[in-house]
Each structure stands twice: as C-alpha cells, then as structure tokens.
Amino acid sequence: VSTMNGRTGYWLRKLVPGTVQLIVPHVASASGTPGPNLTKPDGADWAVAIVARQGERAAEPIFVGAAPVAAGEWNALDFARAPEPPGAHVSLYLPKRDWGRMSGDYVREFQPQAESMTWEFVAQAAEIPGEAVLEFHGFDLPAATRLWLTDLKDGWTREVRAGDVVSFAATLGGRRFRLLAAGGPQPAGTPLADALRYVYPNPFGRSSGLAFALAQPGRIRVGIYDVQGRRVRQLERVGLQAGEHVLVWDGLDAEGREAPSGVYLARYQVGGKEGTARLVKL
C-alpha cells in the first residue's frame, strides 16, 4: 500500500535483520474514514471486485478482470496477498501455483480480453461453523459479458451480477469457487432445491452447523430433540434470500445450560421440505 488509512490495521513483514525504523507522514483526510478501496485499478479495461464478509469482519477485496497484458505472464496489475494476521480473520485470495518464481496467493489477477475468462479463488471465514457472504462489484463490464459463479465443492453454478450478495457455509479449509466471465456461449445454471446439505462438525463438542439450500426467499426452522423426544432448543431464521444458509446450534438448551453429551435429532423445515438429521454431542 502507498497510503495507510486511519482506523485501519496493517501488518508489516520485515525481510532484513536488525532494527528498522518506519516513518509514516500524516496526511489529513477530507472524506472521513474510508471503506475498502473498491475502484477499478488503473490500466484495467474492466474489473470485478469481490469482498468476503462474516459479521463485522471483512477480507481484503480481490480484483479480477481484463487488461491489455501479455497472455500467461505476470504483470504489474497482479498483486500478491499480504501476510496473514494472527487470530481469527476472513481471507479471500486467488491461489496461483503455476507462475514459477511468482507462485503464491494473489488478490488481483488480470487477463487479456477473451470470449471466456475464468478465475479460481478461496474464501476462508473466521467463525466455523457459520455463514459468510461474497459481495460482487463491477466496473465497466462489457454489456455482453455475464458472470457465473461455481462452487467447486458442491458443484452448483449460478449467475451473479454487480451488487449481488451470495451466502455460503463457512467450513474448515475454506470454500473454493470459480468465476467465469463469458461473452459468448453461456453455461447452464444449477437449479436450487430446498435441502439440508450437511451437518458439520458431526460429532461435535462445542457447536455444530446445519447447512441448508433454500430455493426461494423464506425461512428455515430447526428443532433440537433428545432421544426421549423432548425439545431441547428451537432455532429459526426468517427473511432469508435464496441460496446457502447455516443455522448453528451452540450446544445449549433453551435455558442457556450446556446440553449433556449424547445423540440428538434435528427436525428441520427448509422452504417446502421437512426432514430429520442425527447429531452426536461429545
């Protein structure tokens, strides 16, 4: 970075031995506290910025798009990812393992304009199990170009537009996605169906997440029961958009007490579908 914004944390990686003195001159801001720098990078023809968020945490945005650069070569528009800070954080990056000495994780990658262009990226959330979102921002996209997002774990594909927010289950190891910018033949999207996709972790110690797919805007309701059929906890989320959502059971009963170890049944209603899942608390 060439400018350090106020009320923003930065990490410095020192590459030489001994003491280093860092002097940052003060420059007053006329516009107050800035948010993420969501502007088209200089030299790009068009760009898409993606931001990952979980609660109040947000990752450094990644930028992809088209620019007049040599095919298959590293260029000045491609930025490497900064070192990871310690502790729980949200991260978003483009893994590049085929760039020789420039291999690593990147936050910007631009390609020559083509009829079909793809990028793969990884989103890692801070709280697991849980739910996070991807926000999409577009800058000067050609009118004929459409964007398609594919989840490389679950295999679904959906069209995304600038301004869209896509929710996903936060899992260990992160979620890997592919973004396709297509100006010619378009892929087929994957229709969503109301379903419980998975329960994780299971067995669990402290908390377990139930990841659902919701075909239409609506609500998800889960009742947690013990093996005697007594309801231990009721969980519900309303006003949800279509997509992937997670309900997290923190292992507590309705009175806020720790539920004992054992087998529990989760009876769920997601859109127009009902079912039961088995959970084991250790």
Side-chain angles (χ1 to χ4, degrees):
V1 293
S2 58
T3 303
M4 301 179 72
N5 296 322
R7 297 183 65 186
T8 301
Y10 293 88
W11 289 93
L12 308 176
R13 179 169 57 181
K14 188 165 71 73
L15 302 177
V16 297
T19 300
V20 173
Q21 185 178 24
L22 180 70
I23 301 175
V24 182
H26 172 76
V27 178
S29 171
S31 59
T33 303
N37 183 21
L38 296 177
T39 57
K40 186 179 73 173
D42 292 338
D45 295 330
W46 59 265
V48 174
I50 307 173
V51 179
R53 297 186 187 274
Q54 188 178 41
E56 296 182 354
R57 297 184 175 98
E60 178 183 6
I62 61 173
F63 285 80
V64 299
V69 298
E73 295 184 7
W74 180 86
N75 65 83
L77 286 177
D78 295 336
F79 280 19
R81 180 171 64 143
E84 286 287 281
H89 58 276
V90 180
S91 64
L92 191 63
Y93 60 92
L94 300 135
K96 305 302 298 182
R97 303 303 179 207
D98 55 350
W99 284 10
R101 65 184 181 90
M102 302 306 299
S103 289
D105 296 334
Y106 279 69
V107 292
R108 294 188 186 183
E109 184 194 347
F110 285 83
Q111 304 173 8
Q113 179 65 51
E115 187 176 69
S116 179
M117 306 161 66
T118 61
W119 299 267
E120 291 188 9
F121 63 92
V122 176
Q124 175 67 59
E127 298 178 10
I128 300 170
E131 182 179 316
V133 299
L134 298 172
E135 301 173 356
F136 293 84
H137 306 265
F139 307 93
D140 299 330
L141 267 72
T145 298
R146 296 167 65 184
L147 303 174
W148 297 86
L149 182 69
T150 298
D151 183 317
L152 296 179
K153 177 180 180 295
D154 290 343
W156 54 257
T157 296
R158 60 174 289 185
E159 185 177 5
V160 292
R161 297 179 174 87
D164 281 357
V165 177
V166 177
S167 56
F168 66 94
T171 57
L172 286 173
R175 295 288 292 272
R176 196 177 187 103
F177 297 93
R178 177 187 294 124
L179 183 69
L180 165 68
Q186 303 292 320
T190 306
L192 281 175
D194 295 329
L196 171 65
R197 284 192 162 158
Y198 43 84
V199 181
Y200 72 107
N202 190 26
F204 71 99
R206 177 172 297 179
S207 62
S208 183
L210 295 96
F212 293 92
L214 188 62
Q216 301 292 334
R219 70 177 183 181
I220 301 172
R221 176 181 294 173
V222 174
I224 307 295
Y225 296 83
D226 63 19
V227 291
Q228 282 77 40
R230 297 172 296 199
R231 190 168 70 183
V232 175
R233 185 76 175 273
Q234 183 76 26
L235 306 172
E236 185 175 19
R237 293 182 63 188
V238 300
L240 298 174
Q241 295 298 313
E244 189 172 279
H245 299 283
V246 178
L247 269 67
V248 177
W249 180 35
D250 57 10
L252 303 180
D253 64 16
E255 304 299 324
R257 299 169 300 198
E258 183 77 21
S261 300
V263 176
Y264 293 88
L265 296 178
R267 297 178 181 173
Y268 61 85
Q269 296 176 330
V270 51
K273 186 172 183 179
E274 299 181 358
T276 303
R278 183 174 180 268
L279 290 81
V280 179
K281 186 176 186 300
L282 303 179

